[in-house]
Amino acid sequence: MIAVVANDPVAPELLRFLVSLRRHSKDLRVRIIPFNENNALCRAIGAHFGCDWVEDDLSRYDRFGRELFDDDPPQQPYPYMLGKIRKLWIFDQPGPVAYIDIDTIITSDIGLILQQAMKKEFDMSFASVSNGWIYEDVVEAAALLRRTNGFSSSFLLKRTNHLTFDAISGAIRKNRPHYQQVRRRGVIDQPLLNYALDQLPFSVKPMYELVDISSDTVASRDLPWFKASIQSDGKVLASGKPVLYLHAVGKYKHSREYDFLFNGHLVEGLFQIAKAKPELGQRVFEAIRHWIHFEAEE
């Protein structure tokens, strides 16, 4: 199962994510966690692609976020950004669950790769690193900076039931003064998850140690496009190995390849929905029209 977080302001991101996912993994179960209550269009898009909406009471995650950030908001507008905390829902679910940020497109058979990974021993895996977005460069964080996994929270795979929300929130609460000293200002989920896992006795491994991919091809943050091969079926290879997904960040964000892949999935999704449900297609068109841009060559 894969979980994502979404609401209507980012409905175009959900659309292109689901188009790319279904291209490669048609039957993989997807559950959508509401970022907040503004989600009518995302519900309709998700239903079209066979996704389930999480109807659980999410107040425990909201309370935890307010406990940490009401007196020291990490991002503006606040408390809007507390929706990021809701991804911790995956740690309350039985069995393996993957979480993926929706500002990505899938470029491989995620279901197959997750099956391969889960044959190994670990509690949680991550797909890419994000060292600069976790701890401040302060004396109090020096020991953590030397030993942290420094993972990005854009792609996580929880394999066991040992790592729970109670364990994560408990590690933060137990060390809250220290956490508030060292966490990267302006960021919510990555400092929180990394700090908790740096305190807890769980096995955390990068995805490239578990499956046949290399560390520089797991995500797009530092993907060298001149080494990447874009396939006609939407797959991307680098050094002959699959790229799991492309993340809408980093210096390649405005490349022609980026526009081709990301905007192409938006257009494909629009046509798929408009053909089946014209009224919904018009709503989707209004949502995505300002997202599509192709930069002219100089």
Side-chain angles (χ1 to χ4, degrees):
M1 179 177 74
I2 285 179
V4 301
V5 175
N7 70 341
D8 284 0
V10 293
E13 291 184 337
L14 178 66
L15 174 64
R16 69 189 181 193
F17 171 84
L18 291 175
V19 169
S20 65
L21 177 71
R22 291 307 186 210
R23 178 183 291 270
H24 303 293
S25 303
K26 291 181 171 57
D27 300 321
L28 193 61
R29 186 184 184 191
V30 179
R31 300 201 68 187
I32 304 174
I33 306 165
F35 186 92
N36 59 13
E37 289 69 34
N38 182 11
N39 52 54
L41 183 56
C42 282
R43 282 179 177 267
I45 292 172
H48 179 79
F49 288 95
C51 305
D52 300 319
W53 198 263
V54 172
E55 305 287 2
D56 301 357
D57 180 5
L58 302 174
S59 59
R60 67 192 309 240
Y61 315 109
D62 297 341
R63 286 195 301 270
F64 179 54
R66 286 190 170 278
E67 174 187 333
L68 293 181
F69 301 122
D70 267 359
D71 294 333
D72 186 15
Q75 288 179 309
Q76 298 298 333
Y78 187 83
Y80 176 82
M81 297 307 295
L82 283 183
K84 287 178 171 285
I85 298 288
R86 291 185 171 188
K87 68 173 64 175
L88 299 181
W89 174 88
I90 70 168
F91 297 102
D92 279 334
Q93 307 312 301
V97 183
Y99 169 82
I100 307 179
D101 279 352
I102 61 167
D103 61 338
T104 64
I105 59 170
I106 303 301
T107 55
S108 60
D109 186 344
I110 292 291
L112 178 61
I113 289 175
L114 295 180
Q115 288 177 12
Q116 294 172 349
M118 287 185 291
K119 295 177 182 178
K120 307 297 178 64
E121 294 295 324
F122 65 94
D123 291 300
M124 195 190 80
S125 178
F126 58 91
S128 59
V129 295
S130 183
N131 282 318
W133 293 93
I134 295 166
Y135 297 125
E136 292 286 359
D137 187 14
V138 295
V139 172
E140 292 83 359
L144 289 167
L145 287 166
R146 286 193 295 268
R147 64 180 176 83
T148 186
N149 283 294
F151 57 83
S152 166
S153 62
S154 62
F155 187 119
L156 303 172
L157 172 59
K158 176 195 77 85
R159 178 178 172 273
T160 70
N161 294 333
H162 306 306
L163 180 56
T164 63
F165 170 73
D166 285 340
I168 292 169
S169 57
I172 298 293
R173 286 173 173 136
K174 180 180 178 181
N175 302 281
R176 183 173 172 182
H178 186 237
Y179 169 69
Q180 298 288 27
Q181 282 183 312
V182 302
R183 70 174 175 89
R184 174 68 182 264
R185 319 312 292 178
V187 190
I188 295 178
D189 44 328
Q190 286 180 184
L192 190 157
L193 281 165
N194 276 269
Y195 186 88
L197 269 296
D198 287 341
Q199 309 300 316
L200 295 167
F202 294 111
S203 173
V204 180
K205 295 183 179 180
M207 189 72 69
Y208 63 83
E209 289 186 2
L210 306 173
V211 295
D212 189 24
I213 52 178
S214 60
S215 60
D216 64 341
T217 64
V218 185
S220 69
R221 185 178 296 275
D222 297 304
L223 179 68
W225 277 107
F226 58 89
K227 294 181 180 179
S229 173
I230 302 172
Q231 310 297 299
S232 61
D233 61 359
K235 293 180 181 178
V236 177
L237 304 177
S239 303
K241 296 182 179 182
V243 176
L244 287 177
Y245 70 108
L246 300 180
H247 196 187
V249 294
K251 58 186 176 181
Y252 298 98
K253 181 174 181 178
H254 298 296
S255 69
R256 284 175 295 171
E257 293 89 347
Y258 174 99
D259 278 344
F260 172 77
L261 288 170
F262 279 74
N263 291 337
H265 283 84
L266 277 178
V267 174
E268 181 180 344
L270 171 62
F271 279 109
Q272 285 184 22
I273 291 177
K275 183 178 180 180
K277 302 173 183 176
E279 183 178 343
L280 176 59
Q282 183 62 36
R283 292 169 60 197
V284 171
F285 171 71
E286 294 299 329
I288 74 170
R289 61 187 301 186
H290 301 299
W291 285 60
I292 298 178
H293 65 281
F294 290 96
E295 296 182 358
E297 292 188 52
E298 295 182 359

